[in-house]
C-alpha cells in the first residue's frame, strides 16, 4: 500500500526552490557544492549563483534549484526577497559554534515570521566533524525547545560536508517538506491526523467502497492500490496489512474495529495513514490524496471545480437532476423520517468536505429551523439554492465532496438575463433575489426574520452588515419558488449603489418603513428614488414594492395621502401593510415573488427618468419626421431626374 508513485498529480509543484540562509561561516556554500557535486570544495566564493540539482537526483524527479544567500548586513534586503520566494528554507548553524545555534531562535526564525515567510523550515547543523567531543548532546535535546516554539520547523538534521555525512538527506528533506508537507496532515502535538485530512480520507474510503458495505474487501483494497500506486497488492501483502491493523486495533466495539469480516474498516484505513505519517512516509498519504485530486490545502484542485461565466444580470440555479440528488441525500441522512435533519446529521452529510460550508455567514442561520433545531427538506434545499446563487463553483465543489457523481459543470444552469426577462415580460427563474432596503428601526429585520420563522423581538438591534434569509414560497397551483432576501443596512446603501452593476443581480427590491413614523416614510421614499434612479442610469431597472411595517401602530398623519401620491407618481403598487409583531405578513412574500415573476411591471419611474423618456420620444419623433422628409426629397429628386432624362432625349 506504500509503493512510491512518481507521476505528477494536480496541485503538485513542478519545481522546488530552496533558499539556504544562516550566519556567516556556518557552511552554507560548502553544503550546496558538496550536495550537487558530491565533492567537498577546497574553496568556494562568498555567495554561489543559483544551483540546479539533476532532475533524477531524488525519486520524485522534481527539479530543485538551490539559492545561496549572503551573510553581509548590507545584503539583508536581498536575502529577505529571496526568502519570500522560497518553497522551503534551509537554516544553517555550525555544530562547533553554539552561538550560531542560539541565533536561530533569537534572529533567523523570528525574522522569517516578521517577513511572513510561511514555508517549511529545515534546520541543519553543519560541520559535525568539528564538534567538540566533550560536548556531545543529542540533537533532540537541543532542538526540542526550539521546535516547540517554532512549529514551522519541519525537520532538524546534522551533517558534515567534509566527511560527506548526511549531505544528500538535507535537500531530500527540504524537497519532501514541500512536496509532502506534514503540517496539513498531522498534528505533531496531539499525534493525530488533522480534521481536514480525516475528512478527505473518509471521502476516498467511501469512493473506494464500491459495494457500500462499510469496509474495503480484498478486491476493493487491491483496486485502490492499483489506482493510487499503479501496482497490485499480493495476497500475502493484503494479509500483512490487515494483520498490522488487527494487532494495533483489536476493537472493543463495532465502531473501533480496524478490520471486520467484510474487510478493512474506515477506522483501520485512517489508522494505516496515521501509521505511515508517524514513520515518516508522508509521500504515501500524499500520493493517495493527490490521486483523488486534492491539493496541499487538502481541498480539491481548482482544475477539478468548474467555473461559470455569468453576465452581471444572470444568476445560477441547480438543475433538477442536482436537486433530486440532494433530495435523496436528505432522505438518506434524515433517518427518522420526521422532516427534521438534525445538526449532527447535517454534519455527517458534510463530513467528507473540508468543513461544513454553512458554519459561517452568509449561510449560517439563513434558513428556517425546525422546532427541534434542524432543517426541513425545504430549508435544506433552500440553503443549497442560496449557495448556488452566491457562489455556483462553491456549490458544485461541495456537491462533489458529498458524493455527486454526475458531470459537475452540468449540475448548474445559468438563467436568462434579467433585461431579456423584462422584454419577454416574464421570468423563468426558480430562485428570486430580493434586496430589502429601509431606514433604521423600520422593521426590515423583523420582516426578514419572519420569513424564516424567527420569533418577533421588541428590542432593537441595528443591522451592522448584510444578512441573508432564504425559504420556499408556495404559489397557487402547487408551484414552489425559492426566495432569497438580502437585507441592506441603511448606511450601506451608498456603498452598494457606488457600483454600476450593483442592481444587476436583483430580481426585485422591497422598501420597508415604519408606518407610524413620518421620518421613516420620508427616508424610505428617498431610498426608493435613489435605487430607481440608479436603475434608470445603468439600465438595470428592478421591480419595487413598498412595505408599511408595524401596522399594529397608528399611522402618521397624512399617511394614506402621502403613500397614494408617491405610488401614483412613480407608477408602482400602494404600500403593503404588515405587522411582524402580530404575525400578519399579508401574503407579502408571495406578492414579492409574483412581482418578480413579471419583471416589466412595478418598475418605479422617477421625475428625471420620465423627463428623459419624454425627451427620447421627442428626439425619435423628430428623427422620424426628418426621415419622412428625406424620403420625400429623394423621391422628388428621382422624379426630377426622370423628367430631365426624358426632356434631353426628346430634345
Amino acid at each position: 500500500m506504500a509503493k512510491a508513485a512518481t507521476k505528477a498529480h494536480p496541485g503538485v509543484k513542478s519545481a522546488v526552490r530552496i533558499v539556504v540562509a544562516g550566519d556567516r561561516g556556518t557552511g552554507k556554500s560548502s553544503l550546496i557544492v558538496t550536495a550537487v557535486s558530491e565533492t567537498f570544495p577546497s574553496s568556494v566564493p562568498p555567495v554561489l549563483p543559483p544551483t540546479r540539482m539533476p532532475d533524477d537526483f531524488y525519486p520524485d524527479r522534481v527539479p530543485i534549484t538551490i539559492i545561496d544567500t549572503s551573510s553581509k548586513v548590507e545584503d539583508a534586503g536581498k536575502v529577505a526577497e529571496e526568502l519570500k520566494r522560497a518553497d522551503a528554507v534551509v537554516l544553517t548553524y555550525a555544530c562547533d559554534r553554539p552561538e550560531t545555534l542560539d541565533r536561530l531562535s533569537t534572529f533567523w526564525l523570528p525574522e522569517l515570521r516578521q517577513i511572513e515567510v510561511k514555508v517549511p523550515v529545515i534546520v541543519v547543523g553543519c560541520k559535525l566533524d568539528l564538534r567538540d567531543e566533550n560536548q556531545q548532546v543529542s540533537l533532540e535535546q537541543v532542538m526540542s525547545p526550539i521546535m516547540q516554539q517554532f512549529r514551522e520547523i519541519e525537520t532538524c538534521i546534522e551533517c558534515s560536508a567534509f566527511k560527506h555525512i548526511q549531505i544528500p538527506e538535507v535537500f531530500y528533506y527540504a524537497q519532501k517538506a514541500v512536496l509532502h508537507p506534514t503540517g496539513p496532515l498531522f498534528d505533531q502535538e496531539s499525534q493525530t491526523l488533522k480534521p481536514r485530512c480525516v475528512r478527505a480520507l473518509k471521502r476516498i474510503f467511501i469512493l473506494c467502497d464500491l459495494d457500500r458495505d462499510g469496509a474495503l474487501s480484498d478486491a476493493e483494497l487491491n483496486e485502490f492500490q492499483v489506482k493510487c500506486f499503479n501496482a497490485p497488492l499480493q495476497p500475502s501483502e493484503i494479509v500483512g496489512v490487515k494483520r498490522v491493523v488487527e494487532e494495533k486495533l483489536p476493537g472493543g466495539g463495532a465502531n473501533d474495529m480496524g478490520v471486520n469480516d467484510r474487510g478493512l474498516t474506515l477506522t483501520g484505513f485512517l489508522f494505516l495513514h496515521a501509521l505511515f505519517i508517524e514513520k515518516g512516509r508522508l509521500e504515501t498519504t500524499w500520493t493517495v490524496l493527490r490521486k483523488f485530486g486534492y491539493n496541499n490545502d487538502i481541498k480539491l484542485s481548482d482544475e477539478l471545480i468548474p467555473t461559470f461565466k455569468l453576465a452581471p444580470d444572470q444568476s445560477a440555479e441547480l438543475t433538477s437532476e442536482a436537486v433530486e440528488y440532494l433530495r435523496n441525500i436528505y432522505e438518506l441522512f434524515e433517518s427518522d423520517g420526521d422532516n427534521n435533519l438534525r445538526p449532527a446529521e447535517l454534519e455527517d452529510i458534510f463530513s467528507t468536505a473540508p468543513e461544513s460550508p454553512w458554519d459561517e455567514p452568509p449561510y449560517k442561520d439563513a434558513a428556517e429551523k425546525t422546532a427541534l433545531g434542524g432543517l426541513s427538506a425545504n430549508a435544506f434545499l433552500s440553503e443549497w439554492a442560496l449557495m448556488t446563487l452566491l457562489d455556483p463553483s462553491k456549490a458544485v465543489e461541495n456537491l462533489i465532496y458529498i458524493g455527486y457523481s454526475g458531470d459537475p459543470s452540468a449540475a448548474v444552469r445559468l438563467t436568462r438575463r434579467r433585461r431579456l426577462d423584462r422584454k419577454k415580460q416574464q421570468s423563468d427563474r426558480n430562485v428570486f433575489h430580493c434586496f430589502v432596503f429601509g431606514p433604521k428601526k423600520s422593521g426590515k429585520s423583523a420582516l426578514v426574520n419572519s420569513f424564516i420563522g424567527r420569533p418577533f423581538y421588541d428590542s432593537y438591534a441595528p443591522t451592522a452588515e448584510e444578512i441573508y434569509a432564504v425559504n420556499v414560497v408556495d404559489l397557487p397551483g402547487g408551484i414552489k419558488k425559492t426566495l432569497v432576501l438580502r437585507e441592506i443596512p441603511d448606511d450601506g446603501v451608498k456603498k452598494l449603489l457606488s457600483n454600476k452593476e450593483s442592481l444587476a443581480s436583483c430580481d426585485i427590491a422591497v422598501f420597508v418603513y415604519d408606518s407610524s413614523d413620518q421620518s421613516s416614510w420620508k427616508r424610505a421614499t428617498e431610498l426608493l428614488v435613489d435605487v430607481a434612479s440608479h436603475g434608470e442610469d445603468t439600465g438595470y431597472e428592478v421591480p419595487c414594492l413598498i412595505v408599511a411595517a408595524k401596522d399594529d401602530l397608528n399611522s402618521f398623519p397624512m399617511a394614506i395621502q402621502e403613500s397614494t401620491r408617491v405610488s401614483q407618481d412613480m407608477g408602482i403598487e400602494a404600500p403593503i401593510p404588515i405587522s411582524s409583531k402580530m404575525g400578519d405578513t399579508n401574503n407579502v412574500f408571495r406578492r414579492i415573488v409574483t412581482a418578480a415573476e413579471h419583471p416589466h411591471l412595478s418598475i418605479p419611474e422617477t421625475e428625471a427618468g420620465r423627463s428623459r423618456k419624454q425627451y427620447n420620444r421627442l428626439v425619435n419623433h423628430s428623427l422620424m419626421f426628418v426621415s419622412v422628409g428625406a424620403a420625400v426629397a429623394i423621391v422628388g429628386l428621382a422624379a426630377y431626374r426622370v423628367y430631365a432624362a426624358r426632356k434631353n432625349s426628346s430634345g
Side-chain angles (χ1 to χ4, degrees):
M1 194 170 166
K3 294 176 182 175
T6 57
K7 188 180 176 183
H9 300 298
V12 180
K13 278 190 168 289
S14 57
V16 173
R17 183 182 180 87
I18 301 170
V19 175
V20 182
D23 283 354
R24 185 181 189 131
T26 53
K28 300 189 294 294
S29 301
S30 296
L31 170 66
I32 297 168
V33 172
T34 306
V36 175
S37 67
E38 300 183 346
T39 304
F40 181 74
S42 56
S43 64
V44 290
V47 180
L48 295 169
T51 305
R52 170 110 177 224
M53 297 188 83
D55 292 0
D56 59 354
F57 202 86
Y58 297 122
D60 286 292
R61 304 179 69 87
V62 174
I64 295 176
T65 301
I66 305 173
I67 307 297
D68 194 9
T69 56
S70 169
S71 302
K72 294 180 181 177
V73 175
E74 58 267 32
D75 291 334
K78 283 184 187 176
V79 174
E81 287 306 310
E82 290 291 2
L83 289 168
K84 287 177 184 177
R85 296 172 58 204
D87 295 316
V89 172
V90 168
L91 285 184
T92 59
Y93 68 93
C95 291
D96 62 332
R97 292 168 55 201
E99 72 275 11
T100 61
L101 174 60
D102 294 338
R103 283 265 297 168
L104 295 183
S105 53
T106 60
F107 174 75
W108 284 106
L109 289 160
E111 174 69 6
L112 290 179
R113 289 185 176 180
Q114 176 69 28
I115 61 177
E116 297 186 342
V117 174
K118 297 177 181 178
V119 297
V121 175
I122 311 299
V123 171
V124 180
C126 300
K127 306 187 181 184
L128 179 61
D129 55 294
L130 298 180
R131 174 183 280 160
D132 186 346
E133 290 184 4
N134 296 321
Q135 303 211 345
Q136 292 290 344
V137 185
S138 76
L139 182 62
E140 186 178 351
Q141 278 180 292
V142 172
M143 291 306 305
S144 185
I146 300 176
M147 292 183 76
Q148 287 289 330
Q149 185 181 356
F150 297 96
R151 295 282 178 186
E152 53 268 44
I153 298 174
E154 188 84 14
T155 307
C156 301
I157 184 172
E158 291 180 329
C159 66
S160 167
F162 182 68
K163 292 198 172 181
H164 296 272
I165 299 172
Q166 295 204 117
I167 295 299
E169 285 85 346
V170 169
F171 296 104
Y172 171 70
Y173 287 134
Q175 184 205 52
K176 187 178 176 183
V178 176
L179 301 180
H180 314 300
T182 306
L185 303 184
F186 200 70
D187 187 321
Q188 299 279 18
E189 200 164 329
S190 64
Q191 290 291 293
T192 57
L193 295 173
K194 286 192 172 177
R196 192 176 276 192
C197 177
V198 171
R199 288 167 169 260
L201 291 173
K202 180 179 178 181
R203 175 174 172 265
I204 291 168
F205 178 89
I206 291 170
L207 291 174
C208 295
D209 179 18
L210 301 177
D211 57 10
R212 298 288 186 267
D213 66 350
L216 297 183
S217 64
D218 291 0
E220 289 168 338
L221 203 54
N222 189 58
E223 197 168 324
F224 163 81
Q225 173 75 16
V226 171
K227 177 179 174 67
C228 294
F229 304 100
N230 304 314
L233 279 171
Q234 297 303 316
S236 59
E237 291 177 305
I238 294 176
V239 170
V241 166
K242 292 199 288 190
R243 184 185 299 122
V244 169
V245 176
E246 282 182 304
E247 287 173 359
K248 300 286 187 179
L249 290 176
N255 293 329
D256 56 2
M257 288 176 63
V259 177
N260 62 23
D261 57 355
R262 295 186 299 277
L264 184 72
T265 66
L266 174 61
T267 303
F269 187 72
L270 294 174
F271 165 77
L272 278 176
H273 283 282
L275 189 64
F276 293 143
I277 293 168
E278 283 177 28
K279 291 184 178 296
R281 290 160 61 185
L282 291 96
E283 62 273 15
T284 300
T285 300
W286 275 117
T287 299
V288 171
L289 290 168
R290 285 169 179 148
K291 197 69 182 182
F292 283 85
Y294 286 90
N295 59 22
N296 277 12
D297 295 322
I298 324 264
K299 296 180 75 174
L300 288 175
S301 300
D302 290 343
E303 51 262 45
L304 299 179
I305 311 300
T307 54
F308 301 93
K309 208 168 184 179
L310 286 80
D313 60 343
Q314 273 184 300
S315 61
E317 298 178 359
L318 290 174
T319 59
S320 56
E321 291 80 9
V323 171
E324 187 58 32
Y325 175 77
L326 290 171
R327 285 188 196 280
N328 292 334
I329 285 288
Y330 183 89
E331 290 172 7
L332 179 65
F333 284 84
E334 194 278 289
S335 53
D336 300 339
D338 58 355
N339 198 31
N340 174 52
L341 187 74
R342 290 172 173 77
E345 292 169 334
L346 179 64
E347 173 56 36
D348 205 13
I349 288 176
F350 288 119
S351 64
T352 49
E355 50 268 320
S356 174
W358 300 345
D359 282 346
E360 300 294 332
Y363 309 107
K364 185 178 173 63
D365 300 325
E368 185 172 8
K369 298 285 175 66
T370 65
L372 297 172
L375 294 176
S376 67
N378 277 348
F380 179 72
L381 294 174
S382 293
E383 283 275 28
W384 279 99
L386 175 62
M387 186 158 57
T388 309
L389 179 79
L390 300 182
D391 192 343
S393 291
K394 182 175 181 177
V396 172
E397 181 180 2
N398 279 283
L399 271 175
I400 297 170
Y401 285 134
I402 67 170
Y404 184 74
S405 58
D407 178 1
S409 58
V412 166
R413 81 173 185 98
L414 304 186
T415 63
R416 193 167 61 195
R417 296 187 64 170
R418 287 177 175 85
R419 67 178 59 185
L420 191 55
D421 282 349
R422 285 196 292 277
K423 285 182 181 176
K424 299 271 188 183
Q425 300 190 356
Q426 63 177 11
S427 174
D428 63 348
R429 287 167 170 37
N430 293 310
V431 181
F432 292 102
H433 195 183
C434 171
F435 288 19
V436 181
F437 297 95
K440 292 175 181 176
K441 299 185 179 182
S442 61
K444 59 183 183 297
S445 294
L447 172 71
V448 171
N449 285 335
S450 69
F451 183 50
I452 51 176
R454 288 190 191 144
F456 175 83
Y457 294 105
D458 271 318
S459 57
Y460 171 68
T463 303
E465 52 192 38
E466 292 184 359
I467 293 172
Y468 286 85
V470 59
N471 213 337
V472 172
V473 176
D474 292 313
L475 300 178
I479 297 170
K480 293 180 182 292
K481 298 288 183 180
T482 301
L483 177 62
V484 173
L485 299 183
R486 175 185 175 187
E487 182 184 349
I488 314 289
D490 188 15
D491 49 14
V493 176
K494 186 175 181 181
K495 181 182 177 183
L496 177 79
L497 297 182
S498 65
N499 178 3
K500 179 186 174 183
E501 295 173 344
S502 58
L503 295 178
S505 63
C506 177
D507 290 299
I508 183 165
V510 167
F511 298 83
V512 183
Y513 73 96
D514 178 350
S515 59
S516 69
D517 183 352
Q518 188 164 9
S519 62
S520 182
W521 160 254
K522 184 181 177 186
R523 176 59 183 152
T525 55
E526 288 172 358
L527 291 170
L528 173 61
V529 171
D530 288 346
V531 170
S533 299
H534 188 273
E536 290 169 344
D537 292 342
T538 61
Y540 295 119
E541 296 106 322
V542 295
C544 295
L545 294 178
I546 305 174
V547 172
K550 306 184 185 181
D551 192 44
D552 50 292
L553 303 177
N554 292 327
S555 300
F556 66 85
M558 301 291 290
I560 295 175
Q561 293 91 325
E562 282 283 308
S563 61
T564 302
R565 178 183 61 79
V566 169
S567 300
Q568 288 180 348
D569 284 353
M570 300 193 76
I572 59 174
E573 283 185 46
I576 303 168
I578 68 161
S579 171
S580 298
K581 183 175 184 178
M582 306 302 291
D584 180 13
T585 57
N586 201 4
N587 278 331
V588 67
F589 305 117
R590 182 182 288 184
R591 291 165 80 166
I592 289 171
V593 171
T594 301
E597 284 186 310
H598 303 91
H600 61 299
L601 303 175
S602 305
I603 294 179
E605 192 174 48
T606 65
E607 200 169 316
R610 197 178 298 114
S611 299
R612 191 184 295 126
K613 280 185 182 176
Q614 287 174 347
Y615 173 76
N616 288 338
R617 277 197 292 269
L618 283 171
V619 169
N620 289 337
H621 179 73
S622 300
L623 288 173
M624 190 180 293
F625 181 78
V626 170
S627 298
V628 171
V632 170
I634 290 167
V635 170
L637 179 62
Y640 170 77
R641 283 178 177 166
V642 170
Y643 166 75
R646 285 177 180 169
K647 185 176 180 183
N648 289 338
S649 61
S650 62

